[in-house]
Amino acid sequence: MSSDGPTLGDESYVAAARGDGRSHGHGHAHSHSGGPTHTHPRTPGQEAHAHGRGTVDDGPGDDHEHERPAAGTGHDFDLPDLPSAVDVFDTTLRDGSQQEGLSLTVDDKLRVAEQLDHLGVTFIEGGWPGANPKDAEFFARAPKELHLERATLVAFGSTRRAGVRAEDDETLRHLVDAQTEAVCIVAKSSEVHVVDALRTTLDEAVAMVADSVAFLRANDLRVFLDAEHFFDGHKANPEFSLRILQAAEEAGAETLVLCDTNGGTLPFEVERIVADVLDRFETQVGVHFHNDSGCAVANSLVGVSVGATHVQGCVNGYGERAGNADLAAVVPDLSLKLRVATIPAERLPLITPVAHHIAELVNIAPNPQQPFVGASVFAHKAGLHTSAIARRSDAYEHVRPDSVGNGTRFVVSEMAGRSTLAMKAEELGLELDSDAMTSVLDSLKQLEYEGYHFEVADGSLELLLRESTGWRQSFFGLESYRVIAEQDDDLSTEATVKVRVGDERIVATAEGNGPVNALDGALRSAIGSRYPALAGVHLVDYRVRVLDSAKGTGSVTRVLIDSTDGDRTWTTIGVSENIIAASWQALSDSVVYGLLHTAGGDA
Ligand SMILES: [Zn+2]
């Protein structure tokens, strides 16, 4: 029993004595005497956890070599327990969506998950199946509609209720029915919350964890345990809080996640408590911080610095009250500064575009001062040190902006970044020579100045890139369009478009419930018979934002349209002082993109 930590009075603790816990392994870190053996491949964080504890073995699988995680080697910090890698666990779709004013449709959630997978996080917590119909629908649709390449989808829930058998508990049943590979369950790990909120005994709270984890493991699920209010609980009654973790470990939980649920814990407390847990348990330890003290990112880094190898948070720091730890800061801090592997190294430059894309999806304007990814954080006002930055940027910038997909900015549009564009062109199989690249960057510079935002409009960006290679769409040529809105008994909208398809001139009119809908109907009516594939392309979302024009001439309207052909989804953009003109641009791009990628489309 360690003398400087809390006394447990329970001999059965897997208690490595302080100081030698990292050098002596206790067998395979992936199996538990009390629980079933895990058969999935180890995550990079679990691999690092095992290595840190001296239990290096070949493990049941190692398929993480195809992409180098985002870390270099070596750092200058005196941090002996710093792991070589951590697992990044994003909870935007669960904890993040608790933010006031943030509301996601199921489609939005699927698209946020795609972005997170694109970024390369290890785990995506998708929501709480059974808690609301939206999350239930998300998990029902995910297996068919969500094709995750890197991330593992996780369903969230809680332990069984007090006094109910695990096999009879509805929440646990929903978790099994969600059909994910992994689940995360929250357990009260603070005495005061068990007594006051749960109104049950400490022994029952421990049994709730043991039974629930065992039940889920018996159903072949990987289990993460979110120990709620752990830090406060540990400060008040460490013995009880540690018993919760012990129950989870013995029942076969894969990761013990210590949660600072009210966000009030400070970094020095995190250091002591996480180290104490790591000294006592074999299982991988994770951390989950809220930002109520303004310390969520700092606390996450401190947790990792003493050996936590699983970090939860939300891209952009979404969450109720002051939010969760911002993964858009935690990830670059770990990768670039502490040299701890997080997402694949090649993907770190995606963090700015992904953070902005997710901001668009949740419809919350990105914070320009957000560390690493904000539009202003590498922006330098022209003046005295402008030329000095050009000569010696590291004197003024703490990391290279392009390492996180951001850009030193003297003018707005350089944000797009050559490397991001090159990556996109490669993804599309387009060969852009240096001249073409420069010309695209020039166009982007001008268009973004006018209010376009191509980071969130992949469809329009692709068309722009294709056009830079000399390609022009020849599906249809617009002659004119007209929209009439009339308030009679009802408000009705009618649109007419005049287009040319080949040598044919076509005029078509349609009604709609709004201008975009009417224009969409008219365009489809005009060209639909020539392009039957268009019937499979649908607009799924339409978002409008009024922007202050960079030109200073007043405001412009930016329209984003999301479309799908059932297989892929894409976003197109239009910007104009006139909302109809902006809508037409986005609509026209959407249709061109759809025809380009649908069978039979060739132009
Ligand atoms: Zn939380």
Side-chain angles (χ1 to χ4, degrees):
M1 205 57 59
S2 63
S3 55
D4 53 347
T7 311
L8 292 170
D10 182 340
E11 301 292 19
S12 68
Y13 268 98
V14 190
R18 205 176 267 280
D20 71 357
R22 304 298 194 279
S23 53
H24 294 276
H26 292 261
H28 195 304
H30 239 47
S31 61
H32 308 271
S33 49
T37 303
H38 297 225
T39 50
H40 61 87
R42 273 180 178 155
T43 61
Q46 287 163 354
E47 208 55 63
H49 177 75
H51 280 243
R53 324 204 113 212
T55 52
V56 183
D57 64 31
D58 39 3
D62 185 8
D63 62 352
H64 296 283
E65 288 172 349
H66 54 288
E67 276 180 308
R68 206 162 36 89
T73 48
H75 57 79
D76 297 332
F77 302 95
D78 181 21
L79 297 170
D81 292 324
L82 189 74
S84 58
V86 299
D87 300 328
V88 178
F89 183 111
D90 183 281
T91 180
T92 301
L93 298 177
R94 200 271 305 174
D95 222 1
S97 67
Q98 300 298 312
Q99 176 161 330
E100 202 177 353
L102 194 157
S103 171
L104 293 168
T105 64
V106 176
D107 284 303
D108 293 335
K109 294 189 72 160
L110 291 165
R111 303 200 44 228
V112 169
E114 280 165 10
Q115 285 297 308
L116 293 168
D117 182 52
H118 182 52
L119 179 62
V121 304
T122 328
F123 298 104
I124 298 170
E125 196 168 59
W128 188 326
N132 61 66
K134 210 192 273 181
D135 284 8
E137 185 188 335
F138 173 82
F139 284 103
R141 287 172 57 183
K144 267 205 318 255
E145 298 180 40
L146 196 56
H147 307 289
L148 300 180
E149 286 174 32
R150 294 168 191 80
T152 299
L153 187 64
V154 181
F156 180 85
S158 64
T159 62
R160 68 165 174 81
R161 284 163 296 152
V164 176
R165 298 186 329 150
E167 46 274 42
D168 297 333
D169 188 82
E170 221 184 323
T171 298
L172 294 178
R173 174 51 52 197
H174 283 304
L175 282 173
V176 172
D177 290 346
Q179 305 213 355
T180 53
E181 176 186 325
V183 297
C184 183
I185 56 169
V186 63
K188 297 221 182 301
S189 62
S190 141
E191 177 182 4
V192 60
H193 288 90
V194 169
V195 174
D196 288 355
L198 220 51
R199 295 178 183 280
T200 188
T201 64
L202 301 187
D203 287 344
E204 172 65 357
V206 171
M208 285 157 66
V209 171
D211 294 351
S212 304
V213 174
F215 173 80
L216 294 166
R217 294 292 298 128
N219 279 277
D220 237 8
L221 288 158
R222 300 169 63 178
V223 181
F224 305 110
L225 186 90
D226 267 7
E228 189 188 76
H229 294 290
F230 184 84
F231 292 89
D232 292 333
H234 187 282
K235 282 187 268 180
N237 179 353
E239 181 182 351
F240 171 68
S241 299
L242 293 166
R243 277 181 70 200
I244 291 290
L245 300 186
Q246 185 191 11
E249 176 172 82
E250 286 177 357
E254 181 171 327
T255 308
L256 308 174
V257 184
L258 315 182
C259 302
D260 182 26
T261 308
N262 68 22
T265 306
L266 299 175
F268 69 93
E269 300 171 304
V270 171
E271 182 172 12
R272 176 177 69 80
I273 293 169
V274 174
D276 181 50
V277 170
L278 276 155
D279 277 353
R280 293 171 188 278
F281 294 94
E282 277 298 294
T283 307
Q284 180 186 29
V285 170
V287 287
H288 173 119
F289 289 104
H290 283 260
N291 199 34
D292 299 72
S293 303
C295 293
V297 171
N299 283 343
S300 304
L301 300 180
V302 168
V304 172
S305 76
V306 295
T309 51
H310 167 118
V311 181
Q312 300 195 347
C314 301
V315 166
N316 297 331
Y318 299 130
E320 60 187 325
R321 306 188 314 274
N324 284 65
D326 180 4
L327 290 179
V330 173
V331 164
D333 275 330
L334 287 173
S335 288
L336 297 173
K337 304 203 165 188
L338 291 171
R339 302 288 178 194
V340 173
T342 55
I343 60 175
E346 295 80 359
R347 298 199 164 254
L348 195 54
L350 294 173
I351 201 155
T352 295
V354 166
H356 291 186
H357 195 144
I358 289 176
E360 284 294 343
L361 289 169
V362 306
N363 207 14
I364 290 176
N367 171 10
Q369 293 188 301
Q370 187 180 356
F372 294 100
V373 302
S376 301
V377 299
F378 298 104
H380 304 280
K381 282 192 178 175
L384 189 62
H385 66 266
T386 309
S387 58
I389 295 163
R391 276 202 312 278
R392 186 75 212 270
S393 65
D394 61 351
Y396 297 89
E397 292 172 339
H398 71 129
V399 297
R400 277 188 13 250
D402 60 353
S403 63
V404 290
N406 211 330
T408 300
R409 190 156 62 84
F410 305 107
V411 288
V412 172
S413 50
E414 281 182 9
M415 259 176 63
R418 193 171 270 262
S419 58
T420 311
L421 268 189
M423 213 185 240
K424 185 77 191 170
E426 196 186 313
E427 189 183 310
L428 298 171
L430 296 175
E431 297 217 353
L432 294 193
D433 61 21
S434 163
D435 284 354
M437 190 63 87
T438 304
S439 125
V440 177
L441 278 167
D442 285 347
S443 305
L444 280 177
K445 189 187 292 190
Q446 182 56 35
L447 291 166
E448 295 210 344
Y449 178 68
E450 290 169 17
Y452 285 81
H453 192 38
F454 285 95
E455 280 166 4
V456 298
D458 53 347
S460 293
L461 178 62
E462 175 175 334
L463 298 182
L464 191 74
L465 285 168
R466 288 187 187 280
E467 282 167 7
S468 75
T469 65
W471 173 86
R472 294 291 178 271
Q473 74 93 359
S474 57
F475 297 112
F476 62 90
L478 176 71
E479 187 182 300
S480 67
Y481 62 79
R482 183 177 64 191
V483 178
I484 300 165
E486 189 176 15
Q487 176 69 62
D488 200 340
D489 287 342
D490 301 314
L491 178 65
S492 63
T493 311
E494 184 185 288
T496 302
V497 301
K498 299 177 183 174
V499 294
R500 285 188 178 280
V501 179
D503 295 336
E504 194 184 351
R505 181 169 181 270
I506 307 166
V507 178
T509 296
E511 290 186 336
N513 56 19
V516 178
N517 187 240
L519 279 169
D520 185 42
L523 181 59
R524 282 164 186 277
S525 154
I527 67 173
S529 62
R530 299 291 292 266
Y531 303 108
L534 197 54
V537 173
H538 303 285
L539 310 191
V540 288
D541 199 12
Y542 170 76
R543 298 188 295 285
V544 178
R545 184 172 293 165
V546 176
L547 310 167
D548 288 326
S549 165
K551 290 183 287 189
T553 53
S555 57
V556 294
T557 302
R558 183 171 77 202
V559 170
L560 291 170
I561 291 180
D562 298 337
S563 310
T564 183
D565 60 8
D567 211 16
R568 69 173 89 206
T569 57
W570 60 94
T571 304
T572 51
I573 189 167
V575 173
S576 171
E577 285 164 20
N578 183 308
I579 189 173
I580 305 286
S583 302
W584 171 264
Q585 287 169 15
L587 177 67
S588 168
D589 272 9
S590 158
V591 168
V592 170
Y593 183 99
L595 291 174
L596 190 60
H597 288 280
T598 324
D602 186 23

